[in-house]
Amino acid sequence: MQGKREEFDRLGFSIERGLLTSAECRAVLAHEKNESGVAPEPWAKARAAIDPFYHRLGADERFLALLRPLLGEDIVLWGADLLLRAPGVVHPWHCDIESCGEDGGFVSIWIGLSHTNRKSALNLVASSHKFGTTIQEQAHIHGLRRGEGTDADVVAWARSLDPATTLVAPKVGNGDAILFDGRLWHGSRNTRRYFSRTAILLQYARADRAVRMFDPAHLEWPLRTRQDVLPPVVVVSGRAPEGLNAIVEAPLAS
Ligand SMILES: O=C(O)CCC(=O)C(=O)O
């Protein structure tokens, strides 16, 4: 565990093989398929705060055992999202706006559920959590907008900040997890010829971090979060201070 922790601190991510079984991957997909289709309020990532299925998954002790060495005892779950990427679809290089504040204290768990391989999984820039700048800021500095930076641009920006860094396309499959620091530069491109890739993203923070939603009107630098409404968050380990986040009770199965 100490080795994993050091690797995570150094690279900003680590890989956990087989965190979910094949049956568990199928269960998530089946659950999502049977959902009413009504979007969770006030944003899509609220699933874990309102849906007992996602809450149970996000609060699973296997996940918390990986998170406690990184975040401490007091942890909130603030996001759960299903990510479907058809062949050819690109999710541009970015830093997650909610979690890229320079003080850190945020960790996300990305788990491939179907048709996951090196060609369809998340790509990461090693050690970018330590750069002290977001990819959105770098794009702005170089006169580009979201999605316009090529892999070569991203590598060049990253190497100007840390000559030893690399762009990593992890060899992961269904059920494998990528844990990553909330500041890490990442993106995806499903380069498979056939089959949509699905993944689940579970997002956590130290309970003393303010969790705010991204503002869809401000995805470019300078980034902004919404101040008018707070996202619901659930305490999944320890306790949380009052008055910082919109803490809600864990949703219960009826
Ligand atoms: O799974 C993907 O395609 C990328 C997801 C991602 O980077 C995000 O939702 O922030």
Side-chain angles (χ1 to χ4, degrees):
M1 189 53 102
Q2 186 61 22
K4 280 258 164 184
R5 170 77 210 262
E6 277 162 21
E7 182 187 57
F8 188 91
D9 286 346
R10 187 165 48 84
L11 299 177
F13 70 92
S14 63
I15 300 202
E16 285 297 323
R17 305 262 165 223
L19 193 58
L20 290 185
T21 64
S22 314
E24 287 173 319
C25 293
R26 285 196 300 274
V28 177
L29 294 171
H31 179 76
E32 190 65 16
K33 205 166 157 195
N34 290 333
E35 279 303 279
S36 63
V38 179
E41 286 294 331
W43 66 338
K45 293 186 179 186
R47 280 180 177 84
I50 59 179
D51 180 333
F53 177 89
Y54 285 112
H55 171 260
R56 204 167 47 244
L57 183 69
D60 190 296
E61 202 40 54
R62 285 170 296 177
F63 299 179
L64 298 178
L66 296 170
L67 292 165
R68 287 194 188 100
L70 308 175
L71 294 174
E73 269 304 304
D74 301 328
I75 302 175
V76 293
L77 171 63
W78 56 270
D81 207 0
L82 245 288
L83 310 163
L84 175 73
R85 304 285 180 245
V89 166
V90 176
H91 191 86
W93 286 104
H94 65 287
C95 294
D96 289 332
I97 295 173
E98 309 91 331
S99 60
C100 64
E102 55 188 44
D103 292 341
F106 287 78
V107 173
S108 297
I109 303 183
W110 182 100
I111 309 171
L113 298 175
S114 67
H115 304 297
T116 313
N117 66 13
R118 202 174 189 192
K119 291 181 159 187
S120 63
L122 204 62
N123 292 334
L124 314 148
V125 177
S127 307
S128 51
H129 62 311
K130 295 189 196 157
F131 290 172
T133 173
T134 62
I135 205 154
Q136 289 92 329
E137 182 179 22
Q138 289 301 307
H140 175 76
I141 289 169
H142 293 89
L144 298 178
R145 294 178 64 79
R146 182 179 165 87
E148 291 180 348
T150 62
D151 287 3
D153 291 327
V154 169
V155 171
W157 304 339
R159 293 246 164 97
S160 73
L161 298 157
D162 172 0
T165 192
T166 50
L167 194 159
V168 184
K171 280 190 195 160
V172 284
N174 297 335
D176 293 341
I178 304 173
L179 276 74
F180 64 98
D181 186 291
R183 296 164 292 188
L184 207 72
W185 298 12
H186 64 280
S188 74
R189 181 183 302 128
N190 183 1
T191 57
R192 294 181 70 127
R193 280 187 69 187
Y194 306 104
F195 301 121
S196 296
R197 184 271 290 157
T198 52
I200 184 165
L201 183 68
L202 297 163
Q203 298 188 284
Y204 303 83
R206 281 171 48 148
D208 60 359
R209 293 297 189 258
V211 180
R212 302 293 178 259
M213 296 188 285
F214 67 87
D215 182 341
H218 294 276
L219 297 180
E220 304 286 342
W221 188 260
L223 306 174
R224 265 193 237 161
T225 52
R226 286 182 63 177
Q227 303 303 314
D228 54 329
V229 49
L230 298 184
V233 308
V234 196
V235 180
V236 287
S237 177
R239 47 202 299 174
E242 281 179 24
L244 178 65
N245 289 314
I247 307 282
V248 299
E249 292 289 324
L252 296 175
S254 50

